[in-house]
Amino acid sequence: MNVSGSQGELKKKVFEIIDLLEKEHPDAKIALKFSNPLELLIATILAAQCTDERVNQVTRSLFKKYRTAEDYANADLATLEQDIKPTGFYRKKAQRIKEVCRILVEKFNSEVPRSMDELLSLPGVARKTANIVLSNAYGIDEGIIVDTHVFRLAKRLGLTESKTREKIEEDLMKIVPKEKWKRFADLLIFHGRRVCKAKNPQCGICVLKNLCPSRTISNP
């Protein structure tokens, strides 16, 4: 999908997208359940190639059993694997959780760091995870969350021609007002789940169809 229009035109388009999606998905917000930054970090690691609903089912009991970074760092690996098994790829995830929490204990006083650079220093933590933690746990916006839905919709809507999460994030940060970075991602994620699906997007009922160069139906 080719990007058409100047940066100014794209910024105007973004405002229109946000306005329409605010009306369509006023309930848009992070689906993962958490009560502190550590829980959100753990939930985000578990969410890799797993639905948020399944993660929430697992963390309901997991967060009662493991309450601190020390708890995870000192956990028996085999036991932790079984505790998170329903999320898939549980061996790799358990190892990563233990390693991340070991570093939190040793280098960050058992606290989840509040900066992008520090979060990215943790094994397996990329910008998507760091942005999720910073924006939702700390209210800090250093970037735009580019998950699979934002990746797909940004390209379909003609907001970017880039092919990597990092480049798409850079493109979006230039045209989305900083105060809307978190909200823009939340809205696109909800719209991606409910309407603009990877397979069989429901273009006929999409509120963005008049703005979308990827629509597959004719306008009335």
Side-chain angles (χ1 to χ4, degrees):
M1 177 52 58
N2 292 328
V3 174
S4 59
S6 65
Q7 191 170 106
E9 291 171 330
L10 288 175
K11 288 181 179 180
K12 180 181 177 182
K13 183 175 181 177
V14 163
F15 275 110
E16 294 180 82
I17 290 170
I18 292 173
D19 184 57
L20 289 168
L21 292 184
E22 282 285 13
K23 296 172 184 175
E24 186 76 1
H25 310 293
D27 57 335
K29 64 178 182 179
I30 187 171
L32 295 172
K33 303 295 184 183
F34 67 98
S35 62
N36 59 57
L38 177 63
E39 289 184 356
L40 180 55
L41 177 58
I42 298 300
T44 304
I45 293 173
L46 294 177
Q49 300 191 39
C50 181
T51 65
D52 291 345
E53 292 78 11
R54 177 63 59 85
V55 171
N56 288 337
Q57 292 172 3
V58 169
T59 57
R60 189 177 298 119
S61 57
L62 187 75
F63 291 162
K64 293 178 181 177
K65 182 175 182 179
Y66 304 94
R67 296 183 179 274
T68 66
E70 287 90 346
D71 290 341
Y72 289 105
N74 297 327
D76 175 72
L77 181 59
T79 300
L80 181 58
E81 289 176 351
Q82 292 305 306
D83 289 336
I84 66 172
K85 189 172 182 178
T87 68
F89 302 96
Y90 59 94
R91 290 191 175 91
K92 182 178 181 180
K93 289 178 180 179
Q95 291 175 342
R96 178 157 295 167
I97 288 170
K98 280 180 63 66
E99 180 65 10
V100 164
C101 288
R102 180 187 65 79
I103 293 173
L104 292 182
V105 171
E106 293 178 358
K107 295 185 178 181
F108 297 104
N109 195 32
S110 299
E111 299 291 331
V112 176
R114 292 172 171 260
S115 78
M116 177 65 71
D117 288 343
E118 289 176 324
L119 281 168
L120 293 179
S121 73
L122 299 173
V125 173
R127 283 191 64 92
K128 183 190 80 169
T129 295
N131 277 322
I132 290 172
V133 172
L134 288 173
S135 63
N136 289 283
Y138 293 128
I140 298 172
D141 294 322
E142 288 200 29
I144 295 176
I145 298 165
V146 179
D147 75 343
T148 182
H149 301 292
V150 176
F151 184 98
R152 180 175 71 254
L153 269 66
K155 293 176 73 69
R156 283 182 177 175
L157 287 166
L159 301 178
T160 179
E161 292 179 326
S162 297
K163 298 180 180 180
T164 67
R165 291 178 187 266
E166 292 77 13
K167 287 297 297 179
I168 288 175
E169 182 184 1
E170 289 178 16
D171 293 343
L172 293 177
M173 287 167 67
K174 295 174 183 175
I175 59 176
V176 179
K178 185 171 183 178
E179 67 272 14
K180 294 290 186 180
W181 284 356
K182 178 181 181 298
R183 190 60 181 159
F184 182 75
D186 286 343
L187 290 168
L188 257 61
I189 290 168
F190 260 56
H191 197 62
R193 287 175 176 161
R194 293 174 171 176
V195 180
C196 192
K197 302 176 182 180
K199 297 181 179 179
N200 302 316
Q202 302 174 51
C203 300
I205 64 169
C206 181
V207 296
L208 302 180
K209 61 185 178 182
N210 292 331
L211 297 172
C212 183
S214 301
R215 63 186 180 276
T216 60
I217 63 167
S218 299
N219 289 328

